Amino acid sequence: MECVFGMVGNGFAVVVADTSAVNSILVHKSNEDKIMILDSHKLMGTSGEHGDRVQFTEYVQKNVALYLFRNGIPLTTAATANFTRNELATALRKNPYSVNILLAGYDKETGPSLYYIDYIATFHKIEKGAFGYGSYFSLSMMDRHYHSGMSLEEAVDLVDKCILEIRTRLVVAPPNFVIKIVDKDGAREYAWRESIKDTGVSSA
Amino acid sequence: MARYDRAITVFSPDGHLFQVEYALEAVRKGNAAVGVRGTDTIVLGVEKKSAAKLQDSRSVRKIVNLDNHIALACAGLKADARVLINKARIECQSHRLTVEDPVTVEYITRYIAGLQQKYTQSGGVRPFGLSTLIVGFDPYTGVPSLYQTDPSGTFSAWKANATGRNSNSMREFLEKNYKETSGQETVKLTIRALLEVVESGGKNIEIAVMTREHGLRQLDEAEIDAIVADIEAEKAAAEAAKKGPPKET
């Protein structure tokens, strides 16, 4: 039931992920941030087994940082994506990670880019992509409305259309989503789309 | 498998570890390095031996980042330094990965010193031929620290210290002239200490300044030259003041 999707626009890339943490019929929390910021200009939206997801994304994040300290310059998005794929592929036939990843980044020379890396190390460079049951709806919406070089407003509008479609049509739709973007000014959280706020303990 | 289990660093009859002492000799022949801890700034300075004309001096970085908040300068065998620095950088990230916390300066110093000690008590290896000056701010309290390690694997914290060539002269100067400083004053004190043993001029000195907000910043030649000029002017003024009064009588 986890939904992650993203697209590339004019000078930016946007990644959206649902924020529910679920164990069979129990919802642990509805504000779990599944889009990890790897460094100043890269982010990674992930879905899959919670343990694997956290372990693997943190591992990639620390290796990206190590490269920066060793070499004085950051990894490119393409290099990071290939490193990530390689790690998944190496672990695949021993103890695989159950993580699906949409990696978005901005490089000064090549601009924004988006990579689709699934749990068996499928690797694609894409303009728009999605994982999970939500992908049935978000991919269709993006097929209909996406065009290359969209402005941020147009892209967020399309994101909202996709979220609306998921909420309307998916049987156990996640209530909340987080939207993060990466452009020349860096990777950052853009907005949340909440239909259920995690309430505090009510006073007696 | 060839047998690499014979120890090379062994005790002498009078309790010396000669290999470690020889490693300290190697350090004494290395370039001068000095570190000074201020209240909000820590400064590292290294002597830059004149660069060969065809060499790209940017590839010879003597003061390096281990993490966002930790920097290191060293004196001695540079190739050994590369190995230690690489291991330390990995440890910084590994620590962040396992405990979700950046390392403290003391932790990473203890790690590096531990590595140096291991190589004095293992088969088939020689000690690392370098002493390091490690500086940084505690990630939570923001307290600045300066530590030194040596080939034997001992480490301790300092307010200011020097290692490498002519380190004794620099340390004497620092003992005489050290006081709590901050900001630019700390930089000046470091450069004054280095100038005791190094030819004056921006191209013979490499200075890096670490602050809590901006991390490590390497000063460029022009900045260093400006500060050196300041220092020389102050020195000249002090000399003139000394000579001044007698003439008036």
Side-chain angles (χ1 to χ4, degrees):
Chain A
M1 297 300 173
E2 292 189 308
C3 309
V4 183
F5 62 95
M7 65 194 88
V8 176
N10 185 16
F12 69 93
V14 59
V15 174
V16 186
D18 78 286
T19 60
S20 56
V22 170
N23 189 351
S24 113
I25 57 165
L26 173 72
V27 178
H28 281 294
K29 59 196 288 209
S30 311
N31 57 357
E32 168 83 2
D33 186 351
K34 297 181 195 166
I35 307 182
M36 170 155 282
I37 293 186
L38 294 183
D39 74 3
S40 62
H41 288 76
K42 290 179 200 47
L43 43 82
M44 204 152 84
T46 51
S47 71
E49 282 293 329
H50 182 276
D52 281 352
R53 181 162 50 79
V54 172
Q55 186 79 341
F56 186 73
T57 56
E58 286 186 350
Y59 176 72
V60 173
Q61 187 193 52
K62 302 318 183 217
N63 271 281
V64 168
L66 183 62
Y67 183 93
L68 176 61
F69 284 112
R70 272 188 177 146
N71 300 284
I73 53 169
L75 271 170
T76 60
T77 311
T80 312
N82 277 286
F83 167 77
T84 307
R85 186 215 75 88
N86 201 17
E87 291 295 313
L88 287 170
T90 309
L92 181 61
R93 299 195 194 256
K94 291 202 176 109
N95 44 344
Y97 293 103
S98 302
V99 209
N100 298 307
I101 292 165
L102 276 178
L103 186 108
Y106 184 92
D107 305 302
K108 247 198 317 217
E109 302 82 16
T110 51
S113 48
L114 184 64
Y115 289 87
Y116 174 106
I117 308 167
D118 81 2
Y119 71 106
I120 44 177
T122 306
F123 179 84
H124 293 302
K125 183 174 186 301
I126 48 168
E127 299 293 300
K128 56 190 185 318
F131 283 109
Y133 285 118
S135 69
Y136 289 117
F137 309 105
S138 49
L139 276 175
S140 307
M141 280 318 265
M142 290 194 281
D143 283 345
R144 172 71 183 82
H145 295 289
Y146 177 89
H147 60 89
S148 72
M150 293 196 300
S151 71
L152 185 58
E153 290 72 35
E154 289 178 295
V156 173
D157 194 54
L158 178 49
V159 162
D160 281 327
K161 284 195 171 73
C162 294
I163 292 176
L164 180 62
E165 203 61 23
I166 292 170
R167 281 192 177 140
T168 321
R169 291 300 182 185
L170 187 55
V171 61
V172 198
N176 303 334
F177 290 81
V178 64
I179 305 171
K180 294 198 182 177
I181 58 171
V182 58
D183 60 15
K184 65 173 173 30
D185 299 321
R188 57 194 180 279
E189 191 179 280
Y190 179 81
W192 284 71
R193 298 285 187 247
E194 290 172 303
S195 57
I196 293 181
K197 268 194 153 44
D198 257 341
T199 52
V201 177
S202 53
S203 45
Chain B
M1 243 303 262
R3 296 209 169 272
Y4 284 123
D5 51 8
R6 189 177 75 79
I8 294 176
T9 311
V10 288
F11 279 112
S12 71
D14 57 349
H16 291 253
L17 285 173
F18 278 126
Q19 281 301 301
V20 174
E21 293 183 11
Y22 299 158
L24 280 156
E25 258 311 300
V27 170
R28 253 171 251 132
K29 293 202 162 46
N31 51 245
V34 64
V36 177
R37 183 189 82 193
T39 51
D40 61 355
T41 310
I42 327 173
V43 185
L44 282 171
V46 204
E47 163 193 18
K48 238 197 308 195
K49 295 216 180 88
S50 50
K53 283 213 182 89
L54 295 172
Q55 188 183 60
D56 185 352
S57 53
R58 288 171 307 170
S59 66
V60 192
R61 277 265 154 266
K62 300 209 175 142
I63 306 175
V64 295
N65 255 331
L66 295 183
D67 201 342
N68 292 320
H69 60 303
I70 312 254
L72 175 148
C74 56
L77 268 46
K78 288 292 178 267
D80 286 3
R82 236 180 21 240
V83 172
L84 265 185
I85 289 168
N86 193 34
K87 290 193 194 198
R89 281 173 169 158
I90 293 175
E91 179 61 21
C92 284
Q93 295 307 313
S94 179
H95 187 273
R96 279 179 186 261
L97 186 59
T98 49
V99 304
E100 274 215 21
D101 251 354
V103 296
T104 57
V105 192
E106 202 245 343
Y107 176 93
I108 198 65
T109 306
R110 200 162 356 107
Y111 176 80
I112 293 175
L115 270 179
Q116 289 182 291
Q117 191 282 340
K118 209 191 301 219
Y119 279 66
T120 69
Q121 213 179 6
S122 300
V125 296
R126 61 162 175 79
F128 285 99
L130 69 144
S131 291
T132 67
L133 287 170
I134 301 166
V135 300
F137 289 88
D138 185 289
Y140 290 103
T141 64
V143 171
S145 310
L146 164 67
Y147 283 85
Q148 191 213 35
T149 74
D150 66 23
S152 66
T154 47
F155 72 94
S156 51
W158 294 75
K159 295 180 188 159
N161 201 359
T163 179
R165 209 164 63 83
N166 299 119
S167 58
N168 287 327
S169 328
M170 286 192 283
R171 207 172 302 116
E172 264 178 50
F173 174 85
L174 286 168
E175 281 175 7
K176 252 189 266 171
N177 295 286
Y178 179 83
K179 56 185 200 306
E180 288 283 316
T181 52
S182 68
Q184 194 69 327
E185 283 306 308
T186 320
V187 182
K188 268 209 193 132
L189 181 57
T190 314
I191 296 183
R192 276 165 61 209
L194 255 186
L195 287 178
E196 292 285 306
V197 304
V198 168
E199 255 181 69
S200 141
K203 52 182 172 51
N204 299 311
I205 302 178
E206 193 179 305
I207 302 280
V209 181
M210 173 159 268
T211 48
R212 221 166 291 141
E213 303 80 33
H214 304 292
L216 189 72
R217 191 174 72 87
Q218 310 263 6
L219 297 188
D220 56 26
E221 238 185 79
E223 283 183 271
I224 301 176
D225 276 331
I227 303 177
V228 169
D230 255 352
I231 293 172
E232 318 247 276
E234 279 172 13
K235 247 196 243 174
E239 290 286 315
K242 255 194 278 178
K243 292 200 186 122
K247 275 197 191 147
E248 285 166 23
T249 46

